[in-house]
Amino acid sequence: MPGESSRKRRPPDGWRARLRGDAIGMLVEIGAVVVMLAIGAAIALVAAGGRL
Amino acid sequence: MARAVKLRELRITSYYVGLVVLSLAGLMVIPLVVSVARGEWSIVVDFLISAGIGASLGFLLILASPPGPKDLTWSQGMAAAAAAWLVGMLVAAVPYYLSGHWGSFLDANFDVMSGFTTTGLSLAQDLDHLADGLNMWRHFLTWLGGQGMVVLALTFFVRGLPGAFKWYVGEAKDERLMPNVIHTARAIWYVSVAYLVVGTLVLWVVGVADGLSAGRGFLHGLWIFMAAWSTGGFAPMFQNMLYYHSLALEVFTVVFFVIGSFNFNLHWAVWRGDRREIYRNLEVVVFLVTTTAFIALASWELASRGVYPTAVTLFRKGYYNIISAHTTTGFATIYARQFALEWGPMAMLAITAAMLFGGSASSTAGGFKAVRVGLAFKSIIADIRKFLAPESAVTVERFHMGKEATLDDRLARTVLSIIALYVLAWASLVAIMSFFAPKFGWSMLAMMFEAASVMGNVGLSAGVTVPAMPALVKVAFIAGMWLGRLEFFSAFVLVGWLVRGWRRR
């Protein structure tokens, strides 16, 4: 994408902003794994025929 | 003349190995402090002796190096990385051996290599009564190993080291988060320590809520996080995660070990603003697809055979162990023999394949790595497309790993040869075990499972790995864990180097 590389990975200025960015990044990673867990739980539920 | 050159090469390599040994000896102060705090005086003495041996050896190796700049050739860098893991193992095993919880020095070395390589298989005896200092050392070693021995040594440098990058690559890492490799090493630690703080706090609260005392809850939370993040799989109790009977602990550990199996380059990209990388990255996509496939296969069989008939048990006993295998963690919520005795062939094959596939490249995880699985698949697709397209057409396969890239023949060949080496080593381990199978009663599925666990640096066991297993199998497993973690080539260079030196004598 044109201009994409200049947008990517530019660290925010200042240590507080950088720390906030890192914390948001951590939450994004945790959120992605929670989505994976939800998919796994749904598969388990289907395989068990809906029995909890 | 050739002999003088050879000796100089060896002396330069000894400098780099000495740095790792010295770092390990210095870091023994951490379990030492835990032992002092808990009043484990015999373990304090063990660590003092071990640190003394390690420091002496480290200084000797550094003093043996020639004066002046110590730049490395590529083969020296790779040999230095591979040798550092072996010599480091010998030093780190001393406190284990002195404690008496390991039956022999070989068993102690097995556990250290298992920790360094983030495997998690153990030959410790009476694990439930291990001193806290020793448990700290076990989990600390696996946490260090997740980041890498070379990364560990590089972290202590304030200025550049001439051969640093070649040494770093020798440890099967080629990602640079920053232009400078020493800054890259520190960035890796920054991410790991940030997660260590958050993860330990979360698991501490969960442990206390589940009934552990505040002090014990903290130590267990810290150790379990270290093992989860490094996809190591060690636990302070013999029953591993089953000991705690805690759904909350299982959910949180899954989150931490899946994140731990991500590429450090991905962490850095997402943390520093490129959030979309989390769903565009080839390794995340491949991991999601393969995890879903393995879980579907195993769940179908485990539910239809009535092993785990409800969704909750299927999630806690089936899903948890499959994803623990796929991320090469090795945390288990069932007994080792239950894999061999209760899981059917389809579920056993699914978990064995999951262990071989592994997590992401440049992460704490082992196995083929998701990027290679993805590129091998794309390579096959590209070949099929070539056959279907007109003869004059040019087909191009693209992939996204931090940036857009093209799959060329050279890359495809490298990917396929590393996968082939993993499969060959896995089959060799099965063959070695099969000599002893009649005596020990190991089934073919159990041996395939165990060999995948060793080669993928996973740590799940189907009951093969016990202190009574033959010494040859223990040595083969140590070699398998080392080769799997270093992805073969550094170890081959070291062996080739030594053989060449031997022939010249």
Side-chain angles (χ1 to χ4, degrees):
Chain A
M1 299 279 282
E4 186 182 40
S5 57
S6 60
R7 273 208 317 275
K8 271 169 58 175
R9 298 191 199 184
R10 184 188 294 158
D13 297 329
W15 68 269
R16 279 187 189 166
R18 205 173 301 161
L19 209 60
R20 193 165 53 240
D22 293 349
I24 295 168
M26 195 186 265
L27 288 174
V28 168
E29 290 190 307
I30 292 170
V33 178
V34 170
V35 172
M36 285 187 199
L37 283 181
I39 294 170
I43 293 170
L45 192 62
V46 171
R51 286 187 299 274
L52 274 176
Chain B
M1 183 66 187
R3 195 167 174 168
V5 171
K6 180 78 199 163
L7 189 64
R8 186 181 160 75
E9 280 182 8
L10 197 67
R11 286 173 64 198
I12 289 178
T13 307
S14 85
Y15 174 80
Y16 287 84
V17 176
L19 291 177
V20 168
V21 170
L22 210 54
S23 306
L24 284 170
L27 288 169
M28 283 187 195
V29 75
I30 291 170
L32 186 78
V33 167
V34 172
S35 284
V36 168
R38 307 293 278 188
E40 300 161 344
W41 302 113
S42 65
I43 304 297
V44 169
V45 174
D46 292 347
F47 275 112
L48 286 172
I49 294 169
S50 310
I53 293 171
S56 309
L57 180 64
F59 277 122
L60 277 176
L61 287 166
I62 289 170
L63 286 174
S65 64
K70 293 168 182 67
D71 201 358
L72 293 170
T73 61
W74 280 105
S75 69
Q76 280 175 321
M78 294 177 97
W85 285 67
L86 287 181
V87 181
M89 170 186 75
L90 296 172
V91 171
V94 177
Y96 283 179
Y97 180 61
L98 293 177
S99 75
H101 276 275
W102 281 263
S104 64
F105 192 56
L106 177 63
D107 289 10
N109 279 288
F110 181 99
D111 265 45
V112 170
M113 187 55 87
S114 176
F116 274 172
T117 57
T118 74
T119 304
L121 291 167
S122 181
L123 296 177
Q125 296 176 16
D126 195 16
L127 189 61
D128 291 349
H129 298 102
L130 205 64
D132 287 339
L134 283 171
N135 256 322
M136 186 72 220
W137 189 230
R138 289 174 75 224
H139 292 87
F140 191 57
L141 283 182
T142 206
W143 192 58
L144 295 176
Q147 280 46 259
M149 292 297 112
V150 171
V151 168
L152 163 71
L154 287 177
T155 315
F156 296 112
F157 282 92
V158 285
R159 282 181 298 153
L161 189 67
F165 185 64
K166 291 166 188 167
W167 196 29
Y168 175 75
V169 172
E171 198 171 62
K173 283 192 171 73
D174 54 3
E175 303 281 353
R176 284 208 222 203
L177 310 188
M178 293 184 173
N180 179 317
V181 71
I182 290 175
H183 291 166
T184 296
R186 289 196 188 135
I188 287 173
W189 282 110
Y190 172 71
V191 173
S192 297
V193 171
Y195 268 113
L196 178 76
V197 172
V198 173
T200 302
L201 279 173
V202 169
L203 297 183
W204 184 14
V205 171
V206 170
V208 170
D210 281 336
L212 295 178
S213 66
R216 195 156 176 251
F218 174 75
L219 285 177
H220 281 231
L222 173 69
W223 295 334
I224 291 170
F225 178 81
M226 282 176 163
W229 170 257
S230 60
T231 66
F234 278 152
M237 308 308 289
F238 174 74
Q239 290 177 315
N240 207 272
M241 287 299 111
L242 177 63
Y243 172 81
Y244 302 95
H245 292 287
S246 167
L247 177 63
L249 190 72
E250 288 159 22
V251 170
F252 282 112
T253 49
V254 169
V255 171
F256 294 133
F257 63 64
V258 172
I259 295 175
S261 77
F262 287 164
N263 194 315
F264 278 108
N265 221 21
L266 173 67
H267 291 305
W268 201 245
V270 173
W271 283 33
R272 291 298 153 101
D274 189 8
R275 318 275 187 232
R276 291 188 308 159
E277 187 65 21
I278 196 77
Y279 61 85
R280 294 176 71 199
N281 190 284
L282 174 71
E283 291 196 294
V284 178
V285 175
V286 169
F287 182 75
L288 184 62
V289 170
T290 52
T291 304
T292 307
F294 291 136
I295 288 165
L297 280 174
S299 298
W300 176 74
E301 190 181 50
L302 292 170
S304 63
R305 288 166 68 104
V307 181
Y308 309 124
T310 65
V312 174
T313 50
L314 200 51
F315 184 82
R316 294 183 66 179
K317 310 284 184 188
Y319 177 85
Y320 188 90
N321 291 298
I322 291 272
I323 205 154
S324 168
H326 201 348
T327 55
T328 75
T329 305
F331 278 155
T333 52
I334 60 174
Y335 288 106
R337 293 295 292 158
Q338 284 181 279
F339 286 114
L341 300 175
E342 291 182 355
W343 285 37
M346 178 75 87
M348 281 292 272
L349 285 176
I351 197 168
T352 301
M355 288 193 280
L356 285 172
F357 277 30
S360 297
S362 287
S363 73
T364 65
F368 298 164
K369 309 288 183 320
V371 62
R372 295 200 184 100
V373 174
L375 292 181
F377 181 74
K378 278 182 174 284
S379 171
I380 294 167
I381 296 290
D383 282 345
I384 295 170
R385 275 194 187 151
K386 267 182 208 162
F387 284 122
L388 294 176
E391 281 187 21
S392 58
V394 177
T395 54
V396 178
E397 279 295 327
R398 294 186 173 281
F399 63 97
H400 184 91
M401 280 274 290
K403 59 184 182 208
E404 290 299 321
T406 306
L407 175 63
D408 57 30
D409 286 347
R410 190 167 168 273
L411 180 59
R413 197 183 64 216
T414 309
V415 163
L416 292 171
S417 48
I418 291 182
I419 291 177
L421 283 170
Y422 269 107
V423 174
L424 194 65
W426 170 71
S428 304
L429 283 185
V430 175
I432 291 169
M433 277 187 273
S434 64
F435 283 116
F436 304 95
K439 184 180 171 192
F440 288 86
W442 301 330
S443 69
M444 180 52 85
L445 274 176
M447 290 189 291
M448 287 164 63
F449 180 103
E450 207 84 4
S453 181
V454 170
M455 286 316 304
N457 300 133
V458 181
L460 288 174
S461 175
V464 173
T465 303
V466 290
M469 73 179 179
L472 178 64
V473 178
K474 290 176 188 173
V475 172
F477 279 14
I478 290 174
M481 291 187 276
W482 179 61
L483 287 168
R485 180 66 174 88
L486 295 178
E487 299 186 343
F488 302 97
F489 288 108
S490 299
F492 289 167
V493 168
L494 176 65
V495 172
W497 228 50
L498 294 175
V499 169
R500 203 181 59 186
W502 181 260
R503 280 188 184 159
R504 278 189 191 165
R505 288 180 67 189

